[in-house]
Amino acid sequence: MTVATLVTVSSPDFRIGSEVMLASFLAHNPWFDGDILILHSRLAEADQRALTAAFPRTTCRTASPRLAAAIDALTAAHPHLAARRDRFLSLETLLLDAPGKRLFADSDMLFRRDISPLLAIDAPLVAAPDAAMLRGNARDAETLAEVAADGDARASFNAGLLLYDPEPAPEPAIADALWPLLAPESWSRIASQHTDQAVWNLLLRDRVRLVGTSYNLMIGHRAASFAHEPVALENAHVLHFNGPAKPWRPDRHADAIARDPDYATAVRLWARARADWLRAHR
């Protein structure tokens, strides 16, 4: 089974990232012939037209009404989430009515290699470990607080790259379980700083198959990733510019390079992909 839909979330300040992510994905995964869905809440009409014109079979739209209403109620009750509201839009991936596997990819990713080996994995969800696991820790089963790992520790994963297969995990059951997790009263127990990632983990961490960090090498946690599983930048399938420093935000590069000098190399790889895409679309 191939991927029927590639989903991402964009915004006015992430449109450049969306372009590079999609262009690099298509360049390194020529087998993909599915649809592309760009979820947003604030993209201007001009941005939407530019994205749909640049990439085949692409649709830009807002979240379905029920999800949008749930996110609005949650952020109203917990104002600290309001600035990160759009992150919850990834949950629309669970609600699509199209058949087939769905790949969610953050717009701050850069694809460097073919990810088709993930398609052969028989699991409701395929993802890479989160920062807590990379540090040798775990997450509390109820609050998702980072705690010391023990023999019964559950997996926890990053939500930047997710391959979701609705067939082993029937969609109605997943959707029914989603809404209580977005209820404002339920969110009071969440002790991590995550948004959509918290929901994805609570829903599916008992059914996730973890893969190597090569498929989601988080640049913001690269040192921890390298200690967990040595993956050189040039060998990674996917680079993930997680955290506040983004390749298109040079004002934040100095701090990121101070934390990890190899951040500069990662940005050069992203900039090369950006330049290649711009040359091809002139």
Side-chain angles (χ1 to χ4, degrees):
M1 181 184 294
T2 60
V3 174
T5 310
L6 168 61
V7 185
T8 194
V9 174
S10 193
S11 62
D13 51 332
F14 266 69
R15 178 190 147 180
I16 292 175
S18 301
E19 290 172 343
V20 174
M21 185 278 287
L22 292 172
S24 64
F25 174 80
L26 294 173
H28 292 284
N29 297 275
W31 49 265
F32 177 75
D33 61 359
D35 297 321
I36 297 172
L37 174 60
I38 301 175
L39 297 162
H40 72 95
S41 66
R42 300 176 283 126
L43 277 179
E45 289 290 338
D47 287 334
Q48 295 180 56
R49 287 194 300 270
L51 287 165
T52 55
F55 300 102
R57 304 179 304 279
T58 296
T59 301
C60 294
R61 69 167 174 86
T62 56
S64 55
R66 186 174 182 184
L67 179 60
I71 296 171
D72 286 344
L74 177 62
T75 55
H78 298 276
H80 70 284
L81 298 173
R84 297 178 290 161
R85 179 194 186 282
D86 284 354
R87 297 187 185 185
F88 288 101
L89 298 180
S90 77
L91 299 171
E92 186 78 11
T93 307
L94 297 163
L95 305 175
L96 302 180
D97 57 9
K101 292 187 178 184
R102 304 148 194 185
L103 179 70
F104 177 82
D106 274 347
S107 279
D108 55 2
M109 290 189 143
L110 174 67
F111 287 82
R112 300 268 298 152
R113 296 177 185 273
D114 183 1
I115 65 161
S116 60
L118 301 183
L119 304 183
I121 300 174
D122 183 18
L125 189 71
V126 179
D130 74 345
M133 288 196 72
L134 296 179
R135 288 188 284 264
N137 294 323
R139 292 200 179 275
D140 181 83
E142 296 297 324
T143 69
L144 297 181
E146 186 169 345
V147 296
D150 58 30
D152 298 323
R154 296 182 181 180
S156 56
F157 56 88
N158 180 265
L161 188 73
L162 302 168
L163 181 61
Y164 173 61
D165 184 355
E167 296 302 325
E171 292 177 83
I174 292 295
D176 289 345
L178 169 63
W179 307 115
L181 297 176
L182 290 174
E185 60 273 17
S186 298
W187 200 264
S188 300
R189 65 185 169 129
I190 301 299
S192 78
Q193 296 301 308
H194 297 122
T195 49
D196 61 320
Q197 184 166 309
V199 180
W200 279 101
N201 271 268
L202 290 171
L203 278 174
L204 288 164
R205 64 180 175 171
D206 288 334
R207 287 179 274 185
V208 68
R209 181 79 60 84
L210 294 179
V211 295
T213 55
S214 169
Y215 288 99
N216 183 353
L217 187 60
M218 292 184 284
I219 305 303
H221 300 309
R222 197 194 71 87
S225 298
F226 200 81
H228 173 82
E229 177 189 357
V231 177
L233 287 176
E234 60 268 22
N235 295 331
H237 288 72
V238 187
L239 301 182
H240 184 185
F241 292 88
N242 65 305
K246 305 299 180 189
W248 59 92
R249 289 293 307 268
D251 56 310
R252 298 178 178 178
H253 289 180
D255 288 343
I257 293 169
R259 290 190 296 272
D260 181 358
D262 279 346
Y263 183 86
T265 302
V267 169
R268 285 195 293 270
L269 293 173
W270 185 94
R272 187 182 308 157
R274 172 71 173 164
D276 289 344
W277 185 81
L278 288 173
R279 278 192 293 267
H281 285 78
R282 280 179 176 170

